[in-house]
């Protein structure tokens, strides 16, 4: 049952995701790709759960792997959002932003 | 936390992600859209930790430490990179995210007694994450020119890829039978090799599509990792990213008139037929993407047409503009032309640069009004009526060979009709073909073309001085 819900959620989310950016103008393709890239670091949540479980079970090796995964995912998230922000800032307010 | 509360909060956060993405697909709200996504991510982390139980996970200092370290690295890195490196950076970030998914999948796979569904999805997450990781790294290395950007096919490339895919599948099946210890290495190795083979075969004009596809894959990897650990929010967000990434990939494929399947199967590998590399009279040249090159030969007699007489000018930027950081000079030229009473428009090819929108980002950096930027379809008929076209470091996107040279990587790709313009000024670095490796016949034109070879900044300065 739980499994079916998960698959259903996946299908529904995919359908919605497919619709939502349909009208994107090409000048936003790169920032959007970068923004979605940051979102894909959401796997961080998985790393946190795996880490919490390993911590509870007292499995050091698994905890270390989970911590590595969490750190990597956070690099993805933080770097991705910040790069996206920098790009979008250039479209947003003109003349005041710092160079490059 | 009660399940109902948890599910409702997950639904709200998923809706916010959709809202954020929708906002990011329109210019005025794009920046706020990104901030919405940042907020969602923060809340999602908190929600996850809360669900796992305050006394265990929330207080585990190691998790916080790992996240702090990752955030520090990510933020510092993001603030250091230059805009021109953007495509590689997105690829690397994407690979890192993929690796994280693969690790989560691997962990979940090795956890005993979590059931068939969890084991199979864990193996799948491992596979997709690993493919994303190795594929993205190869893409980044290619874009950074650490390895040759040309498509590279090995002997039995297709058969090998198929074999590796079977390996991934077999590993997943093994996982389903509870043989995790065997499944883990089989999945990991096959997937890493497959990703590597996949990206090695993609080259030239296809690279933006490959990155976008890998981006979509990393979303799917996250979603499947979410299934393995029964985390509904992760599944939802991963699914959204996966499908919207796929849509973006398709938008790009359409712009390049290429089928996604062809790229996946590496059908675009056919090497460009090598025409004579360098004609002596040299009224030809190309995109300056190979930076270390000797000074070019002296340019031919200048066109009788002076840019200052032009009233209707179209500027075509390409990757060369990014390489020489000439966007400032481009803006200066545009301003001078405008002061001269000319209409100046920018024609942006969907895949100019190394990623769609790459040029827009660079031009926005120097305050070019985005109302002056035109997409291929909306400007292509105007080239014939323009007085002059200034090409800045672009070759493939305006290569007329795309219309007739069958079997080359760019054949069939819609191009900017620069060749229809009466006067073309080409500010490119050298005479070599562009990224796709196809000679540009436009440069052989005998009249109405002026080639300013060398650093685009200096060439543009020459044009500015003449105004």
């Amino acid at each position: 049952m739980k499994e079916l819900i998960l698959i259903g959620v996946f299908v529904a989310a995919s359908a919605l995701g497919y619709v939502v950016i349909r009208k994107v103008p090409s000048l936003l393709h790169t920032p959007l790709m970068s923004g979605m890239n940051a979102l894909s670091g959401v796997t961080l949540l998985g790393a946190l759960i795996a880490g919490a479980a390993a911590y509870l079970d007292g499995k050091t090796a698994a905890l270390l792997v989970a911590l590595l995964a969490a750190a990597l995912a956070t690099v993805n998230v933080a770097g991705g959002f910040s790069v996206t922000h920098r790009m979008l800032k250039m479209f947003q307010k003109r003349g005041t932003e710092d160079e490059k | 936390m009660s399940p109902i509360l948890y599910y409702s909060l997950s639904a709200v956060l998923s809706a916010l992600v959709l809202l954020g993405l929708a906002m990011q697909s329109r210019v005025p709200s794009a920046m706020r859209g990104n901030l919405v996504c940042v907020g969602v991510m923060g809340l999602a982390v908190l929600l996850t930790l809360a669900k796992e139980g305050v006394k265990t996970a929330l207080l585990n200092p190691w998790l916080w430490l790992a996240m702090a370290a990752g955030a520090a690295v990510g933020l510092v890195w993001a603030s250091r990179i230059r805009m021109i490196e953007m495509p590689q950076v997105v690829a690397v970030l994407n690979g890192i995210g993929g690796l994280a998914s693969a690790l989560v999948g691997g962990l979940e796979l090795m956890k005993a007694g979590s059931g068939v569904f969890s084991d199979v999805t864990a193996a799948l997450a491992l596979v997709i994450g690993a493919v994303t990781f190795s594929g993205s790294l190869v893409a980044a290395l290619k874009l950074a020119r650490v390895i040759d950007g040309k498509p590279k096919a090995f002997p039995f490339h297709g058969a090998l890829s198929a074999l590796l895919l079977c390996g991934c599948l077999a590993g997943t099946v093994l996982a389903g039978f509870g043989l995790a210890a065997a499944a883990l290495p089989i999945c990991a190795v096959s997937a890493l090799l497959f990703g590597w083979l996949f990206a090695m075969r993609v080259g030239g004009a296809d690279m933006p599509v490959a990155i976008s596809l890998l981006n979509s894959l990393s979303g799917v990897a996250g979603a499947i990792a979410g299934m393995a650990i029964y985390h509904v929010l992760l599944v939802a967000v991963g699914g959204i990213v996966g499908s919207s990434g796929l849509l973006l990939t398709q938008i790009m494929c359409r712009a390049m008139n290429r089928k996604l399947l062809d790229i996946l199967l590496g059908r675009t590998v056919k090497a460009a037929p090598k025409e004579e590399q360098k004609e002596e009279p040299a009224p030809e040249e190309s995109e300056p993407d190979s930076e270390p090159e000797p000074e070019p030969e002296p340019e031919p007699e200048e066109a009788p047409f002076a840019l200052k007489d032009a009233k209707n000018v179209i500027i075509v930027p390409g990757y060369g503009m990014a390489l020489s950081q000439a966007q400032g000079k481009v803006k200066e030229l545009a301003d001078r032309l405008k002061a001269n009473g000319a209409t100046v428009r920018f024609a942006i090819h969907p895949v100019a640069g190394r990623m769609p929108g790459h040029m827009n980002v660079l031009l926005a950096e120097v305050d070019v009004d985005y109302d002056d930027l035109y997409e291929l379809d909306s400007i292509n008929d105007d080239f014939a009526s323009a007085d002059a076209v200034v090409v800045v470091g672009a070759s493939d996107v305006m290569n007329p060979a795309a219309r007739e040279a069958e079997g080359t990587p760019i054949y069939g790709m819609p191009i900017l009709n620069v060749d229809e313009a009466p006067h073309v000024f080409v500010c490119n670095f050298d005479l070599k073909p562009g990224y796709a490796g196809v000679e540009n016949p436009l440069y052989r034109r005998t009249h109405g073309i002026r080639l300013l070879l060398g650093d685009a900044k200096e060439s543009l300065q020459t044009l500015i001085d003449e105004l």
Side-chain angles (χ1 to χ4, degrees):
Chain A
M1 187 56 204
K2 245 177 155 183
E3 287 81 2
L4 283 180
I5 292 178
L6 286 173
I7 292 172
V9 166
F10 180 68
V11 171
S14 301
L16 289 171
Y18 204 80
V19 178
V20 78
I21 63 150
R22 183 150 275 176
K23 291 261 156 60
V24 61
S26 74
L27 89 157
L28 285 179
H29 282 181
T30 297
L32 181 62
M33 189 199 271
S34 169
M36 291 193 302
N37 174 248
L39 275 177
S40 72
V42 70
T43 197
L44 169 62
L45 307 184
L48 291 179
I49 290 179
Y55 182 71
L56 277 185
D57 299 349
K59 290 182 187 154
T60 316
L63 178 61
L64 286 179
V65 175
L67 290 179
L68 178 62
L72 289 172
T74 320
V75 171
N76 188 185
V77 171
F81 279 135
S82 138
V83 158
T84 311
H85 188 73
R86 266 181 67 190
M87 273 191 273
L88 289 173
K89 201 161 72 176
M90 292 189 256
F91 290 117
Q92 211 72 16
K93 48 176 189 217
R94 327 199 133 256
T96 50
E97 78 270 23
D98 48 351
E99 281 303 295
K100 269 186 265 169
Chain B
M1 182 180 295
S2 82
I4 294 181
L5 180 60
Y6 166 68
Y7 279 104
S8 332
L9 286 176
S10 294
V12 170
L13 289 180
S14 309
L16 282 174
V17 166
L18 285 170
L19 176 70
L21 282 177
M23 286 169 78
Q24 276 192 70
S25 61
R26 288 187 306 117
V27 175
S29 59
M31 205 161 150
R32 271 172 288 141
N34 189 45
L35 293 177
V36 167
C37 291
V38 174
V40 169
M41 192 64 81
L43 291 174
V45 168
L46 292 180
L47 177 63
T48 302
L49 289 178
K51 181 180 172 254
E52 287 306 295
V54 174
K55 56 184 179 304
T56 58
L58 198 59
L59 295 181
N60 178 351
W62 297 108
L63 288 175
W64 291 104
L65 214 60
M67 283 194 285
V73 170
L75 290 176
V76 169
W77 186 29
S79 65
R80 292 257 171 94
I81 57 130
R82 294 174 303 146
M83 278 302 144
I84 180 189
E85 298 163 326
M86 201 52 77
Q88 296 91 292
V89 170
V90 172
V92 172
L93 284 173
N94 195 43
I96 290 176
L99 180 59
S101 290
L103 291 179
V104 173
L107 275 177
E108 205 52 36
L109 184 58
M110 294 313 287
K111 213 167 97 186
S114 37
V116 175
F117 179 79
S118 178
D119 284 343
V120 169
T121 46
L124 276 178
L126 170 60
V127 164
I128 299 178
V131 169
T132 311
F133 173 62
S134 60
S136 297
L137 283 198
V138 172
L141 290 175
K142 280 195 166 192
L143 287 165
R145 303 230 141 204
V146 177
I147 53 179
D148 187 15
K150 293 248 167 60
K152 184 162 173 54
F154 300 100
F156 307 109
H157 202 118
L160 221 52
S161 300
L163 197 70
L164 289 170
L165 267 188
C166 289
C168 297
L169 201 67
T172 310
V173 171
L174 283 179
F177 285 109
L179 301 166
L184 184 78
I186 294 177
C187 285
V189 172
S190 323
L192 285 172
L193 284 175
F194 177 79
W196 178 66
L197 280 181
F198 162 79
M200 285 305 283
R201 197 157 53 168
V202 178
D206 287 339
M207 202 42 100
V209 175
I211 295 184
S212 178
L213 185 66
L214 289 169
N215 192 29
S216 161
L217 266 189
S218 73
V220 174
I224 295 186
M227 290 190 192
I229 55 174
Y230 296 90
H231 195 294
V232 78
L233 181 57
L234 182 46
V235 172
V237 177
I240 291 169
V241 172
S243 65
S244 54
L246 190 62
L247 178 60
L248 190 56
T249 310
Q250 285 175 333
I251 291 175
M252 286 157 60
C253 282
R254 222 173 294 143
M256 297 166 70
N257 196 20
R258 216 186 269 305
K259 291 198 184 68
L260 183 55
L261 198 63
D262 283 354
I263 292 169
L264 283 177
L265 297 177
R267 286 216 191 104
T268 53
V269 196
K270 289 167 255 165
K274 279 277 175 274
E275 300 166 35
E276 339 82 280
Q277 256 310 78
K278 266 183 194 161
E279 286 273 307
E280 244 341 272
E284 54 185 80
E285 55 86 88
S286 90
E287 180 173 23
D289 34 21
S290 45
E291 44 247 281
E293 259 290 306
E295 268 313 280
E297 37 266 82
E299 65 215 41
E301 0 69 87
E302 61 271 49
F305 183 82
L307 203 51
K308 66 175 187 297
D309 299 327
K311 287 291 161 244
N312 184 356
V313 181
I314 299 177
I315 297 178
V316 178
Y319 187 61
M321 181 184 82
L323 261 190
S324 81
Q325 291 284 296
Q327 55 269 36
K329 285 287 172 204
V330 169
K331 162 79 170 159
E332 199 180 328
L333 178 68
D335 287 346
R336 294 291 293 272
L337 285 167
K338 275 183 181 165
N340 230 352
T343 320
V344 181
R345 288 177 293 174
F346 291 83
I348 311 291
H349 191 277
V351 293
R354 290 289 177 273
M355 280 214 313
H358 197 190
M359 293 297 113
N360 308 74
V361 169
L362 292 172
L363 290 172
E365 191 183 0
V366 292
D367 283 341
V368 170
D369 197 343
Y370 49 71
D371 291 336
D372 290 343
L373 308 182
Y374 288 81
E375 292 182 30
L376 182 123
D377 287 338
S378 53
I379 201 167
N380 229 358
D381 295 334
D382 297 350
F383 278 102
S385 58
D387 297 324
V389 172
V390 180
V391 176
V392 186
S395 180
D396 293 334
V397 297
M398 51 148 209
N399 190 343
R403 299 198 196 106
E404 60 262 2
E406 269 182 71
T408 61
I410 59 168
Y411 177 66
M413 179 173 88
I415 55 156
L416 293 164
N417 297 328
V418 172
D419 57 331
E420 287 177 2
H423 300 283
V424 182
F425 295 78
V426 181
C427 304
N428 281 358
F429 190 79
D430 58 23
L431 307 175
K432 296 205 315 227
Y435 197 58
V438 184
E439 194 96 350
N440 193 334
L442 181 67
Y443 306 137
R444 302 217 189 113
R445 224 158 93 157
T446 48
H447 61 278
I449 185 157
R450 177 165 164 203
L451 299 157
L452 299 105
L453 305 185
D455 184 55
K457 256 191 223 158
E458 288 159 26
S459 307
L460 287 163
Q461 190 59 52
T462 311
L463 287 179
I464 292 168
D465 291 344
E466 285 171 13
L467 278 172

